[in-house]
Amino acid sequence: MFHHVKELQFNARVSKPDVRFAKLLLEQFGGPNGELKAAMQYFVQAFGCRKKAPDKFDMLMDIATEEFSHLEIVGATIQMLLTGVNGELKNAADESDLTKMLDGQAAKENYIHDAMVNPQFFLVSGGTPTLTDSVGNPWSASYIMGMGDLTADLRLNIGAETSAKMVYENLMNFTDDVYVKESLRFLMTREVAHFQMFQAALDSIQPNFPPGVLQGDPRFSNKYFNMSKGEDFKGPWNEGKSPLMGEEWQFVDDPHKRVRETNGLMDEKATGTDRTEKSVQTANKKVSASKKEKADKATAPKNGVMSWSVYQDKK
């Protein structure tokens, strides 16, 4: 269940109206990297691990709920930045308060131009925050990413927090309002915190690589194909040991030649690794059986009934 507390998580404030920045801030209200996207992504992902990983379910639900709190902060800030706009949209006088608020006639004309670019925000909604990005594209469930595998979902979430953090960082460059910057800095910092939470949760799952069940083909898991001509660069991505599997990177300097020599890589040999096709198939069966056992045990009906919540008998 959800319970709404009529206070913001952070004391959001603005010093004066700013229609232009309110429009930019819509990016974090209804955009692809915004707070609604994050809230819905973590909320949906949580369902898949309610029984199998109740600790991760708890974390995902907590963070999802906090993201709704952040959506409220963004929406409240947008509304404060539009102070006076709702009424003045109905005032056509050139010397209206809207003109003064926007620092002159030229600014008001720019505002009218912006309204034509994004009429849903300025005209249809009357200044109320809409579930769109900053240029008026409607929010879409296609923003939500989830694979049904916890290790994959946590990695997706780390990427989502990274993108959101960068958007807030960029937004801070477009306002001089110290109060608005305080709110943006808080929201940006919470993205950093969530990044670490998801990383810690991922690290607590062992093994967590590769995501899913099936292991990689040992012939290709440590091959680096040099797919471009010109100056070549070496680094931990193509020399030394691979960071997660500990295999020796094999640098293929001429991929076209290698493909022709190996019958389209069908005759490629596994080198630089202790893994073999036999060991891979053994691992596939072991991981598959282990995950199936955990899932079956977690979701098995009790006394012939499946219940999402467990209510303790206090009698």
Side-chain angles (χ1 to χ4, degrees):
M1 70 180 72
F2 289 88
H3 175 78
H4 181 247
V5 177
K6 300 180 182 67
E7 294 174 324
L8 295 180
Q9 182 188 16
F10 183 83
N11 185 18
R13 301 176 296 170
V14 304
S15 63
K16 63 180 180 179
D18 187 338
V19 175
R20 288 181 177 275
F21 191 72
K23 183 169 178 283
L24 289 179
L25 195 53
L26 274 177
E27 197 65 35
Q28 289 303 81
F29 197 73
N33 299 303
E35 300 295 353
L36 180 61
K37 172 264 176 73
M40 293 306 301
Q41 178 162 307
Y42 310 154
F43 182 72
V44 170
Q45 289 175 355
F47 283 94
C49 61
R50 170 68 176 88
K51 299 292 186 178
K52 294 180 290 185
D55 55 339
K56 309 305 188 298
F57 170 86
D58 184 61
M59 177 198 68
L60 285 167
M61 279 296 186
D62 280 345
I63 297 178
T65 304
E66 183 179 354
E67 300 291 12
F68 281 118
S69 299
H70 296 174
L71 184 70
E72 187 177 24
I73 292 171
V74 173
T77 302
I78 291 173
Q79 197 64 40
M80 288 188 288
L81 289 169
L82 295 174
T83 298
V85 170
N86 286 3
E88 291 305 320
L89 282 172
K90 301 172 178 62
N91 188 344
D94 287 342
E95 297 304 320
S96 67
D97 290 338
L98 178 60
T99 303
K100 299 173 183 177
M101 182 180 73
L102 294 172
D103 299 323
Q105 179 65 26
K108 183 176 181 179
E109 290 175 358
N110 288 334
Y111 168 82
I112 294 172
H113 171 73
D114 287 342
M116 294 299 99
V117 174
N118 188 358
Q120 292 293 322
F121 182 43
F122 289 108
L123 302 181
V124 177
S125 75
T128 300
T130 56
L131 287 177
T132 69
D133 63 15
S134 57
V135 294
N137 295 312
W139 188 88
S140 171
S142 63
Y143 299 156
I144 305 303
M145 296 183 291
M147 298 300 299
D149 179 271
L150 191 52
T151 64
D153 287 349
L154 289 170
R155 288 184 169 93
L156 289 171
N157 296 349
I158 289 169
E161 295 295 325
T162 300
S163 298
K165 190 266 186 186
M166 295 307 300
V167 173
Y168 279 122
E169 187 170 324
N170 292 334
L171 281 169
M172 290 173 71
N173 293 323
F174 285 87
T175 180
D176 295 323
D177 191 317
V178 293
Y179 296 131
V180 173
K181 282 191 172 185
E182 281 181 349
S183 297
L184 296 179
R185 189 179 185 218
F186 167 77
L187 293 167
M188 180 195 74
T189 303
R190 293 307 297 164
E191 310 295 352
V192 176
H194 293 165
F195 182 112
Q196 295 179 92
M197 294 172 197
F198 289 134
Q199 185 65 61
L202 177 62
D203 292 342
S204 73
I205 303 172
Q206 295 297 331
N208 63 36
F209 190 84
V213 175
L214 300 179
Q215 308 298 300
D217 189 325
R219 296 177 297 172
F220 309 118
S221 57
N222 62 340
K223 295 293 193 302
Y224 182 93
F225 293 101
N226 186 26
M227 303 295 281
S228 57
K229 295 296 183 182
E231 184 178 3
D232 294 329
F233 293 90
K234 294 293 184 71
W237 54 88
N238 60 19
E239 65 178 358
K241 290 185 179 294
S242 60
L244 296 178
M245 299 177 69
E247 299 175 319
E248 289 288 340
W249 288 117
Q250 305 297 298
F251 190 91
V252 181
D253 186 57
D254 191 338
H256 182 222
K257 179 181 178 183
R258 178 67 66 86
V259 166
R260 294 180 65 86
E261 290 176 346
T262 59
N263 187 30
L265 296 179
M266 296 298 294
D267 300 329
E268 182 73 11
K269 304 296 184 183
T271 55
T273 178
D274 294 331
R275 297 189 313 125
T276 64
E277 183 61 23
K278 182 178 180 180
S279 69
V280 164
Q281 294 304 325
T282 299
N284 285 345
K285 293 178 181 178
K286 181 179 179 180
V287 173
S288 178
S290 175
K291 289 201 171 187
K292 182 180 185 304
E293 180 183 6
K294 289 180 180 178
D296 289 346
K297 183 178 180 181
T299 57
K302 290 181 172 57
N303 299 321
V305 178
M306 288 183 287
S307 176
W308 190 256
S309 300
V310 177
Y311 297 98
Q312 301 294 328
D313 184 356
K314 296 182 179 180
K315 295 181 180 179

